[in-house]
Amino acid sequence: MATETQEESTGLVFHPLDQFIVKPLFGDGPIHWYTITNVTLWMAIAVVAVLALFVFGSRGRAIVPTRTQSVGEMIYGFIYKMVEDVTGKDGIKYFPYILTIFIFILFANFLGLIPMSFTTTSHIAVTAVLGFGVFITVTLIGFVKNGPSFLSLFWMSDAPALLRPIIAIIEVISYFVRPVSHSIRLAGNIMAGHAVIKVFAGFAAIALISPVSVLAITAIYGLEVLVAGIQAYVFTILTCVYLKDALHPHH
Amino acid sequence: MPQLDFSTFPNQIFWLLVTLVVIYFVMSRIAIPRIGAVLAERAGTITNDIAAAEELKQKAEAAEAAYEKALVDARAEASRIVAEAKAEIQAELDIELQKADAAISAKTAESEKAIAEIRAGAVKSVTAVAKDAAKEIVSALGGKADAKAVTAAVTARMKG
């Protein structure tokens, strides 16, 4: 890689992508599907955090909530309202799935901001499973609920007759691009921010630049905190929008 | 790029699915029913409290109205008592005044009578003194006093 040649000439060490390497926690063998890796560890930490917030935090079932319970209630209310507003009343039954997706992405993003951690959502394998999972589920729901009339999603009946086939082609293409953009948006945002922080951290080795570097890391870290929340929100609201298309395909 | 190292994909996908299933069960079996119940209970409590507050407010308004009414009644009662007392006092006063007037007029009449008597007595004695004085003056001047003429003259003078 180009970074290695730089390293030799200037003494700077850039390994911005090393943080994304998946490695086994125990031993150094090959990675099978069942191997316990750092992915396992950080996903387990995410599960523990979810348990702490939603099970331990709300154990009091208090009418006047504690701080932790209040956070859980806020997330619940936020996603519930989002599902209700975007997909309508008949989308409410998918609320647990959407909440699961949101919670996972939110916790993975924020846990990834802990220094030296591993960010599971920075991997296209993870986000693609989420993105294609949403895509396939939503498409199936669309066909099961509406039958063949689900295809009217692509047929703009209020467009001029001449343009309708062209619009239909564009709509079909954009429909199939959805899962790709859906998953790459999340992984790309998270990965880019983390890589940029690492690059600036590499510059901190030079005494002259290090104050600027530290300031830049601080600033980008703040930005990344925003991005972590916003990307979880964006992923979830797009899921709701796709679900709405599946439930109500007629424009 | 480690993201494109396909040999790690099965591992990541497997653990992701495990994680999602665990989170899904935690959320759908524990968190969502619990939080939903808490939120519903809270909404119920708030509604009940608002209803109770409304009821208490109405009670307070009723109590205030009763208080106002009692106040008005008390005022009316007080003014009635005052008016009664005034009337009573006025009646007593009138009686006393009449008594006093009667007493005063009786006294006045008595006094007038006494004055008249005194005046009459005085006129009589003045007449007698004037006759005597006239007789004496006439005799002192050397005339012979005719009692009848002197009396007539004095009486004529007294009238004038």
CSV table of all heavy atoms in Angstrom, one decimal, chain A residues 173-214:
chain,number,residue,atom,x,y,z
A,173,ILE,N,-35.1,0.6,-11.3
A,173,ILE,CA,-33.6,0.7,-11.0
A,173,ILE,C,-33.4,1.2,-9.6
A,173,ILE,O,-32.7,0.7,-8.8
A,173,ILE,CB,-32.9,1.5,-12.1
A,173,ILE,CG1,-33.0,0.8,-13.4
A,173,ILE,CG2,-31.5,1.8,-11.7
A,173,ILE,CD1,-32.5,1.7,-14.6
A,174,SER,N,-34.1,2.3,-9.3
A,174,SER,CA,-33.9,3.0,-8.0
A,174,SER,C,-34.4,2.0,-6.9
A,174,SER,O,-33.8,2.0,-5.8
A,174,SER,CB,-34.6,4.3,-8.0
A,174,SER,OG,-36.0,4.1,-7.6
A,175,TYR,N,-35.4,1.2,-7.2
A,175,TYR,CA,-35.8,0.3,-6.2
A,175,TYR,C,-34.8,-0.7,-5.9
A,175,TYR,O,-34.5,-1.1,-4.7
A,175,TYR,CB,-37.1,-0.4,-6.6
A,175,TYR,CG,-37.8,-1.3,-5.6
A,175,TYR,CD1,-38.6,-0.6,-4.6
A,175,TYR,CD2,-37.6,-2.6,-5.5
A,175,TYR,CE1,-39.1,-1.4,-3.6
A,175,TYR,CE2,-38.2,-3.4,-4.5
A,175,TYR,CZ,-38.9,-2.8,-3.5
A,175,TYR,OH,-39.5,-3.5,-2.5
A,176,PHE,N,-34.1,-1.2,-6.9
A,176,PHE,CA,-33.1,-2.2,-6.7
A,176,PHE,C,-31.8,-1.6,-6.2
A,176,PHE,O,-30.9,-2.4,-5.6
A,176,PHE,CB,-32.8,-3.1,-7.9
A,176,PHE,CG,-33.9,-4.1,-8.1
A,176,PHE,CD1,-35.0,-3.8,-9.0
A,176,PHE,CD2,-33.9,-5.3,-7.4
A,176,PHE,CE1,-36.0,-4.7,-9.1
A,176,PHE,CE2,-35.0,-6.2,-7.5
A,176,PHE,CZ,-36.0,-5.9,-8.4
A,177,VAL,N,-31.6,-0.3,-6.3
A,177,VAL,CA,-30.4,0.3,-5.8
A,177,VAL,C,-30.6,0.6,-4.3
A,177,VAL,O,-29.6,0.7,-3.5
A,177,VAL,CB,-30.1,1.6,-6.6
A,177,VAL,CG1,-29.0,2.4,-5.9
A,177,VAL,CG2,-29.6,1.3,-8.0
A,178,ARG,N,-31.8,0.6,-3.8
A,178,ARG,CA,-32.1,0.9,-2.4
A,178,ARG,C,-31.2,0.1,-1.4
A,178,ARG,O,-30.6,0.8,-0.6
A,178,ARG,CB,-33.6,0.7,-2.1
A,178,ARG,CG,-34.5,1.8,-2.4
A,178,ARG,CD,-35.9,1.3,-2.2
A,178,ARG,NE,-36.9,2.4,-2.4
A,178,ARG,CZ,-38.2,2.2,-2.2
A,178,ARG,NH1,-38.6,1.1,-1.7
A,178,ARG,NH2,-39.0,3.2,-2.4
A,179,PRO,N,-31.2,-1.2,-1.5
A,179,PRO,CA,-30.5,-1.9,-0.5
A,179,PRO,C,-29.0,-1.6,-0.5
A,179,PRO,O,-28.3,-1.5,0.5
A,179,PRO,CB,-30.7,-3.4,-0.8
A,179,PRO,CG,-31.1,-3.4,-2.2
A,179,PRO,CD,-31.8,-2.1,-2.4
A,180,VAL,N,-28.5,-1.4,-1.7
A,180,VAL,CA,-27.0,-1.1,-1.9
A,180,VAL,C,-26.7,0.3,-1.2
A,180,VAL,O,-25.9,0.4,-0.3
A,180,VAL,CB,-26.6,-1.0,-3.4
A,180,VAL,CG1,-25.2,-0.7,-3.5
A,180,VAL,CG2,-27.0,-2.4,-4.0
A,181,SER,N,-27.5,1.3,-1.5
A,181,SER,CA,-27.3,2.6,-1.0
A,181,SER,C,-27.5,2.6,0.5
A,181,SER,O,-26.8,3.2,1.3
A,181,SER,CB,-28.1,3.7,-1.6
A,181,SER,OG,-29.5,3.5,-1.3
A,182,HIS,N,-28.6,1.8,0.9
A,182,HIS,CA,-29.0,1.7,2.3
A,182,HIS,C,-27.8,1.2,3.1
A,182,HIS,O,-27.5,1.7,4.2
A,182,HIS,CB,-30.2,0.8,2.4
A,182,HIS,CG,-31.0,1.0,3.6
A,182,HIS,ND1,-32.0,0.1,3.9
A,182,HIS,CD2,-31.0,1.9,4.5
A,182,HIS,CE1,-32.6,0.5,5.0
A,182,HIS,NE2,-32.0,1.6,5.4
A,183,SER,N,-27.2,0.2,2.6
A,183,SER,CA,-26.1,-0.4,3.5
A,183,SER,C,-24.8,0.3,3.3
A,183,SER,O,-24.0,0.4,4.3
A,183,SER,CB,-25.9,-1.9,3.1
A,183,SER,OG,-25.8,-2.1,1.7
A,184,ILE,N,-24.5,0.8,2.1
A,184,ILE,CA,-23.2,1.4,1.9
A,184,ILE,C,-23.2,2.8,2.6
A,184,ILE,O,-22.1,3.2,3.2
A,184,ILE,CB,-22.8,1.6,0.4
A,184,ILE,CG1,-22.5,0.2,-0.1
A,184,ILE,CG2,-21.6,2.5,0.2
A,184,ILE,CD1,-22.2,0.2,-1.6
A,185,ARG,N,-24.3,3.4,2.7
A,185,ARG,CA,-24.4,4.7,3.4
A,185,ARG,C,-23.9,4.6,4.8
A,185,ARG,O,-23.1,5.4,5.3
A,185,ARG,CB,-25.8,5.3,3.4
A,185,ARG,CG,-25.9,6.6,4.0
A,185,ARG,CD,-27.4,7.1,4.1
A,185,ARG,NE,-28.0,7.2,2.8
A,185,ARG,CZ,-28.9,6.4,2.3
A,185,ARG,NH1,-29.4,5.4,3.1
A,185,ARG,NH2,-29.4,6.5,1.1
A,186,LEU,N,-24.4,3.6,5.5
A,186,LEU,CA,-24.1,3.4,6.9
A,186,LEU,C,-22.6,3.0,7.1
A,186,LEU,O,-21.9,3.6,7.8
A,186,LEU,CB,-25.0,2.3,7.5
A,186,LEU,CG,-24.8,1.9,8.9
A,186,LEU,CD1,-24.8,3.1,9.9
A,186,LEU,CD2,-25.7,0.8,9.4
A,187,ALA,N,-22.2,1.9,6.4
A,187,ALA,CA,-20.9,1.5,6.5
A,187,ALA,C,-19.9,2.5,6.1
A,187,ALA,O,-18.9,2.8,6.8
A,187,ALA,CB,-20.6,0.2,5.7
A,188,GLY,N,-20.2,3.2,5.0
A,188,GLY,CA,-19.2,4.2,4.5
A,188,GLY,C,-19.1,5.4,5.5
A,188,GLY,O,-17.9,5.8,5.8
A,189,ASN,N,-20.2,5.9,6.0
A,189,ASN,CA,-20.1,7.0,7.0
A,189,ASN,C,-19.3,6.6,8.2
A,189,ASN,O,-18.4,7.4,8.6
A,189,ASN,CB,-21.5,7.4,7.4
A,189,ASN,CG,-22.1,8.5,6.5
A,189,ASN,OD1,-21.7,9.6,6.6
A,189,ASN,ND2,-23.1,8.1,5.8
A,190,ILE,N,-19.6,5.5,8.7
A,190,ILE,CA,-18.9,5.1,10.0
A,190,ILE,C,-17.4,4.8,9.7
A,190,ILE,O,-16.5,5.3,10.4
A,190,ILE,CB,-19.6,3.8,10.6
A,190,ILE,CG1,-21.0,4.1,10.8
A,190,ILE,CG2,-18.9,3.4,11.8
A,190,ILE,CD1,-21.3,5.2,11.8
A,191,MET,N,-17.1,4.1,8.6
A,191,MET,CA,-15.8,3.7,8.3
A,191,MET,C,-14.9,5.0,8.0
A,191,MET,O,-13.8,5.2,8.5
A,191,MET,CB,-15.7,2.8,7.1
A,191,MET,CG,-14.4,2.2,6.9
A,191,MET,SD,-14.2,1.6,5.2
A,191,MET,CE,-13.9,3.1,4.3
A,192,ALA,N,-15.5,5.9,7.2
A,192,ALA,CA,-14.8,7.1,6.8
A,192,ALA,C,-14.4,7.9,8.0
A,192,ALA,O,-13.2,8.3,8.2
A,192,ALA,CB,-15.6,7.9,5.9
A,193,GLY,N,-15.3,8.1,8.9
A,193,GLY,CA,-15.0,8.9,10.1
A,193,GLY,C,-13.9,8.3,10.9
A,193,GLY,O,-13.0,9.0,11.4
A,194,HIS,N,-14.0,7.0,11.2
A,194,HIS,CA,-13.0,6.3,12.0
A,194,HIS,C,-11.6,6.4,11.3
A,194,HIS,O,-10.6,6.6,12.0
A,194,HIS,CB,-13.4,4.9,12.2
A,194,HIS,CG,-14.5,4.8,13.2
A,194,HIS,ND1,-14.4,4.2,14.4
A,194,HIS,CD2,-15.8,5.2,13.2
A,194,HIS,CE1,-15.5,4.2,15.1
A,194,HIS,NE2,-16.4,4.9,14.4
A,195,ALA,N,-11.6,6.2,10.0
A,195,ALA,CA,-10.3,6.2,9.2
A,195,ALA,C,-9.7,7.6,9.3
A,195,ALA,O,-8.5,7.7,9.5
A,195,ALA,CB,-10.6,5.8,7.8
A,196,VAL,N,-10.6,8.6,9.2
A,196,VAL,CA,-10.0,10.0,9.2
A,196,VAL,C,-9.4,10.3,10.6
A,196,VAL,O,-8.3,10.9,10.7
A,196,VAL,CB,-11.1,11.0,8.9
A,196,VAL,CG1,-10.7,12.4,9.3
A,196,VAL,CG2,-11.5,10.9,7.4
A,197,ILE,N,-10.1,9.8,11.7
A,197,ILE,CA,-9.5,10.0,13.0
A,197,ILE,C,-8.1,9.4,13.1
A,197,ILE,O,-7.2,9.9,13.6
A,197,ILE,CB,-10.5,9.5,14.1
A,197,ILE,CG1,-11.7,10.4,14.2
A,197,ILE,CG2,-9.8,9.4,15.4
A,197,ILE,CD1,-12.7,10.0,15.2
A,198,LYS,N,-8.1,8.2,12.6
A,198,LYS,CA,-6.8,7.4,12.6
A,198,LYS,C,-5.7,8.2,11.8
A,198,LYS,O,-4.5,8.2,12.3
A,198,LYS,CB,-6.9,6.0,12.0
A,198,LYS,CG,-7.6,5.0,13.0
A,198,LYS,CD,-6.5,4.6,14.0
A,198,LYS,CE,-7.3,3.7,15.1
A,198,LYS,NZ,-6.4,3.3,16.1
A,199,VAL,N,-6.1,8.7,10.7
A,199,VAL,CA,-5.1,9.5,9.9
A,199,VAL,C,-4.5,10.7,10.7
A,199,VAL,O,-3.3,10.9,10.8
A,199,VAL,CB,-5.7,9.9,8.5
A,199,VAL,CG1,-4.8,10.9,7.8
A,199,VAL,CG2,-6.0,8.7,7.7
A,200,PHE,N,-5.5,11.4,11.3
A,200,PHE,CA,-5.0,12.5,12.1
A,200,PHE,C,-4.2,12.1,13.3
A,200,PHE,O,-3.2,12.7,13.6
A,200,PHE,CB,-6.2,13.3,12.6
A,200,PHE,CG,-6.7,14.3,11.6
A,200,PHE,CD1,-7.9,14.1,10.9
A,200,PHE,CD2,-6.0,15.5,11.3
A,200,PHE,CE1,-8.3,15.0,9.9
A,200,PHE,CE2,-6.4,16.4,10.3
A,200,PHE,CZ,-7.6,16.1,9.6
A,201,ALA,N,-4.6,10.9,13.9
A,201,ALA,CA,-3.8,10.4,15.0
A,201,ALA,C,-2.4,10.1,14.5
A,201,ALA,O,-1.4,10.3,15.3
A,201,ALA,CB,-4.5,9.2,15.5
A,202,GLY,N,-2.2,9.6,13.3
A,202,GLY,CA,-0.9,9.3,12.8
A,202,GLY,C,0.0,10.6,12.7
A,202,GLY,O,1.2,10.6,13.0
A,203,PHE,N,-0.7,11.7,12.3
A,203,PHE,CA,0.1,13.0,12.2
A,203,PHE,C,0.5,13.5,13.6
A,203,PHE,O,1.5,14.3,13.7
A,203,PHE,CB,-0.8,14.1,11.6
A,203,PHE,CG,-0.8,14.0,10.1
A,203,PHE,CD1,-1.9,13.7,9.4
A,203,PHE,CD2,0.4,14.2,9.4
A,203,PHE,CE1,-1.9,13.7,8.0
A,203,PHE,CE2,0.4,14.2,8.0
A,203,PHE,CZ,-0.8,13.9,7.3
A,204,ALA,N,-0.1,13.0,14.7
A,204,ALA,CA,0.2,13.5,16.0
A,204,ALA,C,1.6,13.1,16.4
A,204,ALA,O,2.2,13.6,17.4
A,204,ALA,CB,-0.8,12.9,17.0
A,205,ALA,N,2.3,12.2,15.6
A,205,ALA,CA,3.6,11.8,15.9
A,205,ALA,C,4.6,12.9,15.7
A,205,ALA,O,5.7,12.9,16.3
A,205,ALA,CB,4.0,10.5,15.1
A,206,ILE,N,4.3,13.8,14.8
A,206,ILE,CA,5.2,15.0,14.6
A,206,ILE,C,4.8,16.1,15.6
A,206,ILE,O,3.7,16.5,15.7
A,206,ILE,CB,5.0,15.5,13.2
A,206,ILE,CG1,5.2,14.4,12.1
A,206,ILE,CG2,5.9,16.7,12.9
A,206,ILE,CD1,4.8,14.8,10.7
A,207,ALA,N,5.8,16.4,16.4
A,207,ALA,CA,5.6,17.4,17.5
A,207,ALA,C,5.0,18.7,17.0
A,207,ALA,O,4.2,19.3,17.7
A,207,ALA,CB,7.0,17.6,18.2
A,208,LEU,N,5.5,19.2,15.9
A,208,LEU,CA,5.0,20.5,15.4
A,208,LEU,C,3.5,20.5,15.0
A,208,LEU,O,2.8,21.4,15.3
A,208,LEU,CB,5.9,20.8,14.1
A,208,LEU,CG,6.0,22.3,13.8
A,208,LEU,CD1,6.7,23.1,14.9
A,208,LEU,CD2,6.7,22.5,12.5
A,209,ILE,N,3.1,19.4,14.5
A,209,ILE,CA,1.7,19.3,14.0
A,209,ILE,C,0.7,18.8,15.1
A,209,ILE,O,-0.5,19.0,15.0
A,209,ILE,CB,1.6,18.4,12.7
A,209,ILE,CG1,2.7,18.9,11.7
A,209,ILE,CG2,0.2,18.5,12.1
A,209,ILE,CD1,2.7,18.1,10.5
A,210,SER,N,1.3,18.1,16.1
A,210,SER,CA,0.5,17.4,17.0
A,210,SER,C,-0.7,18.2,17.7
A,210,SER,O,-1.8,17.7,17.8
A,210,SER,CB,1.3,16.7,18.1
A,210,SER,OG,2.0,17.6,18.8
A,211,PRO,N,-0.4,19.5,18.1
A,211,PRO,CA,-1.6,20.2,18.6
A,211,PRO,C,-2.8,20.3,17.7
A,211,PRO,O,-3.9,20.1,18.0
A,211,PRO,CB,-1.0,21.6,19.0
A,211,PRO,CG,0.4,21.4,19.0
A,211,PRO,CD,0.8,20.3,18.1
A,212,VAL,N,-2.4,20.7,16.4
A,212,VAL,CA,-3.5,20.8,15.4
A,212,VAL,C,-4.1,19.4,15.2
A,212,VAL,O,-5.4,19.3,15.1
A,212,VAL,CB,-2.8,21.2,14.0
A,212,VAL,CG1,-3.9,21.4,13.0
A,212,VAL,CG2,-2.0,22.5,14.2
A,213,SER,N,-3.3,18.4,15.2
A,213,SER,CA,-3.8,17.0,15.0
A,213,SER,C,-4.8,16.7,16.2
A,213,SER,O,-5.9,16.1,15.9
A,213,SER,CB,-2.6,16.1,15.0
A,213,SER,OG,-3.1,14.8,15.0
A,214,VAL,N,-4.4,17.0,17.4
A,214,VAL,CA,-5.3,16.6,18.5
A,214,VAL,C,-6.6,17.4,18.4
A,214,VAL,O,-7.6,16.9,18.7
A,214,VAL,CB,-4.5,16.9,19.9
A,214,VAL,CG1,-5.5,16.9,21.0
A,214,VAL,CG2,-3.4,16.0,20.1
